[in-house]
């Protein structure tokens, strides 16, 4: 209908004929926008024409456009209403229609429609009601549209079938089928005649929702009312039945259509062909296609595309290609849907050369497909065929067709470039990916896969570009990627490049996020710290390695202990030694002996004794005689005394010469009471009875006034009988030869 499609224009140069000149108070225009929206009468304040930057006069702005701009830029308030009134003292139906048509959104249109009527500025006619119902229907504001429609008789405006058709169609598009059915049913109650037009709209709504049985009942009702179906009616019915997969019903209606003398048109054939392709019955579809051409009905691009789609579905891609070439030979240009239909089939069939040719044709014609998912399929198929240049051309085609490239597209190429050892090309793609932050785009539907980014990160880390790899992976982390392989490769890379601090930062991130760490990565990090002369950090990393449940190799323990020892961090080295022994590592005992000796020499006696105890419990070897000898010779008498006492309490196998060395050192240092005390313990154990300096000790005790101790010692010496060697049957200290 003409009034539904033709937009009426209301020009400023008609205003003097329609409206008298009046003086509009300046206070109505209190903002810059108000001044811009002032009527032509206010020429002194606001010119009716505007000048562009070059000084040329523009075309006068139409009144309806000014009103629409005012509604768009300002809230709907009384001030705005007064401004519109001042702009247009009198409204007519043409102006109202054009404002509704030009409103930027449905809310503006509805507010304007109600205001002009409630304010008594105009009584809406049929065309205004139709326009607002159409607008509200498109915006799914169906309750407002319904109320306006049902209130029309109260305003003296008669409704007709067209209003109900619009509302039924709007309810159908909104998916509210039950309301569409109600409105169709109440048309009869309201005295609105139903013709084939309303039946067609109704059939389309219910069949879209699969209610084919209801459609059949109402079709029979329509016939009983004497309403004859048209070709369009049958086309809708056939479409709906095939949509519900009712092939037999569709065939019966098709035959009924021909029985009634209604000849099928191109739309009918296209519908039937599409229906048969849904059931993968390509022989019947081909027969219909041939029949259509035999009746001099020229197939359209839809006809060919539907047939191609059917052949692709049954994996007869060669037939699809045949029809593709045929349509072009008849001058029918394939559209975006045609390309989107054929290309996936070619990819599945492994016809990559044909796919490459068709893609090139699309780019030359600048036809972008409807479904962008075909590009990932093209990339995968070209890569699978080994034609990486063709795969790279797919990405270029996407750029030329202005189709957004996603991380997943780059990922396919990067993965296959890495597999083909074309790492330079992979790195170039990665640079674009990182520079444009494609990974971080929220609209991505295809993310880069692990089998793409892991080989890339590994390559970069092995070739001195760990920094670039980390920048890339940190973008992935922002998308929630916590791949342990990538993390560990970064640690290895930083460690190899001599940046252990950066590697340790990665290690801490892994710890916070619960990502498992590889023993090999720990090893490389420890070695990196040691190369930089940072044994304390190496020890911290070693502790983390043990906490994560990894058992370091004995050489790692040795390297860390040696570095700490050489750096003078004896107690720290001792703690590493403790961890090593607790883990059951019994190697490098020479280094262990050095650490224990250094502890004793530095006065950390209790710690040293604890380490010796640990070694004894775990079957480790330590040489007490050697330690006692060194301590005695270097004047560390107290340490020697405590070590000897430790050995006696545990019945360790200690040589007599070691006793004598300790006693001589104590006597020389004037520590007679200490010498007396330990000698008594030795004699009680039967360890010594003929110490050559015994008389000197007794003499020194008497001189110092310790006569009681001297007397006891003399009587013990005269008692004799103790063996001069080691006591038998005692626990040994695993003396090293």
């Amino acid at each position: 209908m003409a009034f539904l499609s033709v937009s009426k224009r209301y020009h400023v140069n008609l205003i003097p004929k329609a409206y008298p000149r009046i003086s509009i108070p300046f206070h109505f225009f209190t903002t810059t926008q108000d001044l811009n929206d002032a009527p032509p009468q206010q020429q002194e304040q606001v010119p009716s024409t505007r000048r562009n930057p070059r000084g040329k006069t523009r075309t006068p702005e139409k009144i309806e456009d000014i009103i629409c701009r005012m509604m768009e830029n300002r809230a709907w308030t009384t001030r705005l209403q007064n401004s519109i009134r001042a702009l247009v003292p009198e409204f007519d139906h043409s102006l109202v229609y054009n404002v509704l048509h030009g409103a930027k959104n449905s809310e503006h249109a509805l507010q304007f429609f109600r205001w002009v009527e409630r304010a008594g500025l105009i009584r809406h006619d049929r065309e205004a009601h139709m326009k607002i119902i159409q607008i509200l229907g498109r915006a799914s504001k169906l309750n407002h549209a319904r109320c306006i429609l049902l209130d029309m008789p109260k305003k003296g405006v008669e409704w007709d079938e067209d209003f109900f058709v619009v509302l039924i169609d709007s309810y159908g598009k909104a998916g509210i089928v039950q309301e569409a059915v109600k409105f169709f049913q109440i048309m009869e109650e309201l005295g609105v005649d139903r013709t084939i037009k309303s039946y067609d709209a109704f059939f389309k709504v219910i069949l879209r929702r699969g209610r084919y049985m209801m459609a059949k009942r109402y079709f029979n009702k329509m016939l009983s009312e004497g309403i004859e179906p048209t070709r369009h009616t049958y086309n809708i019915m056939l479409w709906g039945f095939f949509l519900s997969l009712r092939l037999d019903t569709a065939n019966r209606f098709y035959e009924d259509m021909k029985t009634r003398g209604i000849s099928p048109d191109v739309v009918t054939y296209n519908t039937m062909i599409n229906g048969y392709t849904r059931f993968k019955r390509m022989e019947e579809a081909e027969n219909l296609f041939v029949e259509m051409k035999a009746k001099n009905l020229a197939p359209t691009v839809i006809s060919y595309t539907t047939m191609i789609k059917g052949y692709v579905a049954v994996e007869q891609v060669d037939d699809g290609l045949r029809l593709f070439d045929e349509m072009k030979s008849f001058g029918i240009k394939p559209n975006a849907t045609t390309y989107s239909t054929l290309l996936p089939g070619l990819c599945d069939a492994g016809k990559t050369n044909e796919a490459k040719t068709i893609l090139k044709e699309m780019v030359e014609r600048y036809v972008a497909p409807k479904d962008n998912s075909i590009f990932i399929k093209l990339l995968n198929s070209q890569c699978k065929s080994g034609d990486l240049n063709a795969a790279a051309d797919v990405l270029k085609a996407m750029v030329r067709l202005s189709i957004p490239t996603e991380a997943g597209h780059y990922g396919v190429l990067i993965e296959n470039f890495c597999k083909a050892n074309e790492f330079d090309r992979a790195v170039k793609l990665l640079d674009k990916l990182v520079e444009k932050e494609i990974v971080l785009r929220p609209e991505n539907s295809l993310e880069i896969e692990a089998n793409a980014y892991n080989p890339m990160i590994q390559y970069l880390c092995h070739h001195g570009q760990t920094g670039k790899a980390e920048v890339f992976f940190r973008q992935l982390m922002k998308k929630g990627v916590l791949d342990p392989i990538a993390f560990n490769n970064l640690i290895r890379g930083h460690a190899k490049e001599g940046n252990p601090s950066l590697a340790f930062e990665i290690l801490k991130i892994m710890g916070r996020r619960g990502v498992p760490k590889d023993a090999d990565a720990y090893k490389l990090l420890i070695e990196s710290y040691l190369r930089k002369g940072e044994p304390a950090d190496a020890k911290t990393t070693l502790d983390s390695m043990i906490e994560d449940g990894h058992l370091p190799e004995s050489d790692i323990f040795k390297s860390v202990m040696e570095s700490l020892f050489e750096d003078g961090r004896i107690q720290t080295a001792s703690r590493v030694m403790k961890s090593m022994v607790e883990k059951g590592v019994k190697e490098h005992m020479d280094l262990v002996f050095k650490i224990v000796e250094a502890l004793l020499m530095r006065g950390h006696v209790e710690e040293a004794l604890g380490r010796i105890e640990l070694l004894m419990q775990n079957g480790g070897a330590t040489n007490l005689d050697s330690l006692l000898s060194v301590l005695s010779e270097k004047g560390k008498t107290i340490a020697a005394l405590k070590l000897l006492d430790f050995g006696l309490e545990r019945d360790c196998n200690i040589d007599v010469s070691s006793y004598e060395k300790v006693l001589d050192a104590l006597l020389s240092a004037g520590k007679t009471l200490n010498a007396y005390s330990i000698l008594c313990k030795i004699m009680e154990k039967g360890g010594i009875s003929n110490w050559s300096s015994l008389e000197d000790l007794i003499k020194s005790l008497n001189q110092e006034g310790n006569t009681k101790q001297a007397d006891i010692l003399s009587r013990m010496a005269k008692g004799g009988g103790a063996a001069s060697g080691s006591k038998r049957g005692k626990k040994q200290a695993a003396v090293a030869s």
Side-chain angles (χ1 to χ4, degrees), residues 2-17:
F3 65 84
L4 293 178
S5 59
V6 178
S7 175
K8 301 180 182 179
R9 310 309 299 170
Y10 193 86
H11 296 278
V12 174
N13 57 13
L14 297 178
I15 292 175
K17 299 178 182 179

Side-chain angles (χ1 to χ4, degrees), residues 394-421:
V394 173
L395 200 64
K396 293 176 184 176
M398 293 181 68
V399 175
R400 290 173 184 167
L401 293 172
S402 302
I403 295 169
T405 53
E406 299 185 19
H409 299 124
Y410 283 87
V412 172
L413 280 175
I414 288 172
E415 177 189 354
N416 285 278
F417 280 143
C418 290
K419 287 179 179 178
N421 291 323

Side-chain angles (χ1 to χ4, degrees), residues 429-438 475:
L429 281 176
L430 180 69
D431 289 340
K432 291 181 182 178
L433 193 67
V434 172
E435 180 186 351
K436 297 179 181 179
E437 296 186 340
I438 295 174
Q475 289 186 358

Side-chain angles (χ1 to χ4, degrees), residues 211-387:
R211 301 189 180 184
Y212 64 92
M213 292 299 294
M214 179 185 289
K216 288 169 64 177
R217 289 198 303 273
Y218 275 93
F219 186 84
N220 293 330
K221 179 176 175 58
M222 178 186 73
L223 295 177
S224 67
E225 292 174 0
I227 300 173
E228 287 295 321
T230 64
R231 182 185 292 111
H232 180 61
T233 308
Y234 276 106
N235 288 342
I236 292 173
M237 298 298 287
L238 294 173
W239 164 79
F241 292 138
F242 279 122
L243 195 65
S244 299
L245 302 178
R246 313 304 298 180
L247 177 61
D248 293 339
T249 307
N251 281 329
R252 285 199 300 272
F253 268 75
Y254 180 63
E255 294 301 325
D256 182 63
M257 172 185 180
K258 292 190 289 185
T259 302
R260 290 178 179 273
I262 302 173
S263 58
D265 62 359
V266 173
V267 175
T268 311
Y269 278 111
N270 287 346
T271 303
M272 291 296 294
I273 290 170
N274 184 59
Y276 277 112
T277 59
R278 279 174 172 266
F279 288 90
K280 298 184 178 182
R281 293 171 65 168
M282 290 308 300
E283 185 177 350
E284 290 91 334
E286 181 74 33
N287 291 337
L288 285 168
F289 189 68
V290 172
E291 179 184 317
M292 175 173 62
K293 290 189 286 186
K295 292 184 177 181
N296 292 324
L297 293 173
T300 64
V301 65
I302 297 175
S303 310
Y304 278 104
T305 301
T306 305
M307 288 295 296
I308 292 170
K309 181 180 179 181
Y311 280 125
V312 168
V314 297
E315 300 180 356
Q316 293 177 230
V317 184
D318 290 334
D319 288 319
L321 273 174
R322 171 178 57 80
L323 288 177
F324 182 76
D325 293 334
E326 179 183 306
M327 69 183 291
K328 290 195 294 182
S329 68
F330 290 146
I332 302 173
K333 294 182 178 180
N335 59 19
T337 306
T338 312
Y339 291 123
S340 302
T341 299
L342 182 57
L343 280 172
L346 294 173
C347 294
D348 291 338
K351 296 183 176 295
T352 53
N353 289 330
E354 291 83 350
K356 181 167 62 175
T357 302
I358 291 176
L359 179 63
K360 184 179 178 181
E361 179 183 319
M362 288 173 62
V363 174
E364 289 173 352
R365 292 185 56 208
Y366 199 76
V367 177
K370 297 293 184 182
D371 183 8
N372 292 342
S373 66
I374 67 169
F375 288 102
I376 196 70
K377 206 157 195 175
L378 282 168
L379 283 166
N380 283 318
S381 64
Q382 296 292 3
C383 289
K384 186 178 180 181
S385 71
D387 192 347

Side-chain angles (χ1 to χ4, degrees), residues 56-73:
K56 296 182 180 179
T57 304
R58 294 179 180 176
T59 305
E61 193 170 16
K62 299 178 177 64
I63 293 293
E64 57 264 35
D65 294 337
I66 296 174
I67 295 173
C68 290
R69 179 157 48 82
M70 292 169 69
M71 293 192 300
E72 180 184 6
N73 296 332

Side-chain angles (χ1 to χ4, degrees), residues 449-515:
E449 300 287 340
N451 51 8
Y453 61 72
N454 275 331
M456 189 76 265
I457 291 173
Q458 183 178 11
Y459 172 81
L460 293 171
C461 292
H462 286 177
H463 291 79
Q465 300 183 68
T466 307
K468 179 183 289 188
E470 183 175 346
V471 171
F472 169 52
F473 189 66
R474 283 187 179 272
Q475 289 186 358
L476 292 174
M477 287 171 60
K478 291 179 181 178
K479 297 291 287 185
V481 175
L482 296 173
D483 193 297
I485 297 175
F487 272 116
N488 286 292
N489 277 325
L490 289 175
I491 293 173
R492 294 185 186 97
H494 282 310
K496 286 182 179 179
E497 293 170 24
N499 297 312
S501 57
L502 297 177
F504 196 72
E505 285 298 319
I506 300 294
L507 200 67
K508 289 194 289 187
I509 294 173
M510 295 174 73
R512 288 196 299 269
R513 304 197 179 187
V515 181

